[in-house]
Amino acid sequence: MDIAIGLLIIAIGAFCQSSSYVPINKTRNWSWESYWMVQGIFAWLVFPLLGALLAVPAGESLFSLFAHAKMLDIGMTILFGVLWGIGGLTFGLSMRYLGVALGQSISLGTCAGLGTILAPVMLNFFYPEAHHLEKLTASVIIGIIVTLIGIAIIGVAGNMKSQSLSEEEKKTAVKDFNFPKGIAIALLAGFMSGCFNVGLEFGSSIHFEESTDMFKTLPATLLVTLGGFMTNAVYCLYQNGKNYTWDDYRKGNVWMNNLAFCALAGMLWYSQFFGLALGKGFLAESPVLMTFAFCILMALNVVFSNVWGIILKEWKGCSSKTITVLAIGLATLIVSSFLPQLLG
């Protein structure tokens, strides 16, 4: 029963994340770099900080926690957050060129597989005595492979979509649609985004022993998102200067609207890792699912992002054959989420 509850919580978080880019479409008269910067403040600073505070017992503070943690773990958690920030930055661009559905599918699918594998490999390099590679059991590897197969099938559907639609139809669905450019960016985004899970693993010891199991990973999540915010802030502020878009922040007539939707987007985005933390608290009896939880989250993100893609009519005009291939890919991802537990 606990496992079912844990998976349900992760699924809710995945749905929220997949919905986070919908409010951004409601921002008005701001450039991409301006709304990305403001939603990032909420997604990577404000809400992660509030979440981390839930893991602080009475009489303690986050400052004291970080001050007494290993400097190597702190540094590596933030460093991989910085690297993940590159993935988060290109992740936004992938959706600009591919749309919500296909952009998230390729990026998150790559992130799911690499993030799950990279974490034990990197930790084993620094802490070989902990035998982190033992987490990569046969059932976990099979689950990752099936996940990547599902992503590949969705990628095929995306290519079929690209070839079947006219340029006008592509632009109607996604304004800046560019399949070759979008795929390259999405793969880079997925590779770098996998660093998030590596950062979480390096920060797994950064918590108070008295903290509830459901909240123990939230301080590490704050450190990872802090690193990611640094990367994105530098790029967005550079783009503000390059494109002369500083005036976006002075447009008083749209501030309340844009701030509200950016805050909503940030809250929805953070919900995925808040849900991951809570969900893993119910998966403690299954080491396989604990290792595979990040992959499950990313796979479900892809499923729900394609649901939004259908709602937003990004697949409108595609043939029934293309939709069938897409459905097969989504079904494969859903199966991959439960496969490791069944095999274990």
Side-chain angles (χ1 to χ4, degrees):
M1 186 63 181
D2 282 352
I3 289 177
I5 294 174
L7 292 176
L8 177 60
I9 292 173
I10 292 174
I12 293 172
F15 176 77
C16 290
Q17 188 281 335
S18 301
S19 307
S20 66
Y21 296 92
V22 178
I24 286 179
N25 292 328
K26 300 294 184 179
T27 58
R28 303 197 306 263
N29 298 325
W30 272 9
S31 61
W32 180 89
E33 56 269 20
S34 298
Y35 73 65
W36 194 252
M37 177 71 181
V38 175
Q39 70 85 30
I41 292 174
F42 288 102
W44 307 321
L45 292 182
V46 176
F47 289 110
L49 175 60
L50 295 176
L53 290 175
L54 293 174
V56 179
E60 299 286 357
S61 69
L62 282 175
F63 179 80
S64 64
L65 173 63
F66 296 147
H68 290 91
K70 292 181 181 178
M71 283 296 99
L72 175 62
D73 290 342
I74 292 281
M76 295 301 288
T77 303
I78 295 177
L79 172 61
F80 278 97
V82 170
L83 296 177
W84 161 75
I86 298 174
L89 186 61
T90 49
F91 183 65
L93 291 174
S94 72
M95 286 182 293
R96 176 179 178 181
Y97 296 117
L98 295 177
V100 172
L102 189 55
Q104 288 206 55
S105 297
I106 303 301
S107 299
L108 294 177
T110 308
C111 173
L114 290 177
T116 303
I117 293 174
L118 278 176
V121 170
M122 291 300 299
L123 263 75
N124 188 73
F125 180 81
F126 286 91
Y127 301 112
E129 69 281 359
H131 306 291
H132 287 283
L133 289 180
E134 293 179 359
K135 295 178 181 178
L136 296 177
T137 62
S139 56
V140 170
I141 296 297
I142 292 173
I144 293 172
I145 292 173
V146 174
T147 299
L148 294 178
I149 289 173
I151 297 303
I153 294 173
I154 292 174
V156 170
N159 188 46
M160 293 169 66
K161 167 188 174 182
S162 176
Q163 293 178 351
S164 65
L165 300 181
S166 66
E167 288 301 316
E168 182 178 347
E169 288 173 323
K170 293 175 187 176
K171 300 300 181 183
T172 299
V174 181
K175 182 180 178 181
D176 298 318
F177 188 84
N178 186 319
F179 187 73
K181 186 175 183 179
I183 285 293
I185 293 175
L187 289 174
L188 173 62
F191 180 81
M192 300 306 293
S193 294
C195 293
F196 197 106
N197 195 42
V198 183
L200 286 181
E201 289 299 320
F202 269 105
S204 60
S205 64
I206 306 174
H207 59 77
F208 291 103
E209 291 301 325
E210 306 94 316
S211 297
T212 304
D213 287 343
M214 293 187 297
F215 299 147
K216 281 188 175 179
T217 63
L218 295 177
T221 301
L222 170 62
L223 293 177
V224 177
T225 57
L226 174 62
F229 176 77
M230 295 177 188
T231 307
N232 283 263
V234 168
Y235 181 80
C236 289
L237 294 176
Y238 167 75
Q239 288 296 316
N240 281 139
K242 178 183 176 182
N243 299 327
Y244 303 101
T245 53
W246 290 109
D247 284 343
D248 285 348
Y249 304 117
R250 293 196 289 266
K251 294 177 179 177
N253 59 320
V254 297
W255 245 110
M256 291 305 296
N257 175 82
N258 292 357
L259 190 66
F261 282 115
C262 283
L264 177 59
M267 181 186 68
L268 290 172
W269 182 92
Y270 175 67
S271 295
Q272 65 179 314
F273 292 111
F274 187 74
L276 179 64
L278 268 60
K280 289 176 75 171
F282 288 91
L283 302 179
E285 64 185 64
S286 174
V288 170
L289 284 182
M290 287 289 284
T291 301
F292 197 63
F294 183 79
C295 194
I296 292 174
L297 173 65
M298 294 300 116
L300 291 176
N301 280 345
V302 173
V303 172
F304 289 125
S305 68
N306 277 280
V307 171
W308 274 113
I310 293 171
I311 293 173
L312 296 174
K313 300 181 179 180
E314 292 178 358
W315 294 93
K316 183 179 180 180
C318 294
S319 66
S320 58
K321 184 177 180 180
T322 299
I323 299 301
T324 299
V325 173
L326 173 64
I328 293 173
L330 294 178
T332 303
L333 286 181
I334 293 173
V335 170
S336 74
S337 298
F338 303 98
L339 193 59
Q341 179 64 15
L342 295 175
L343 294 175

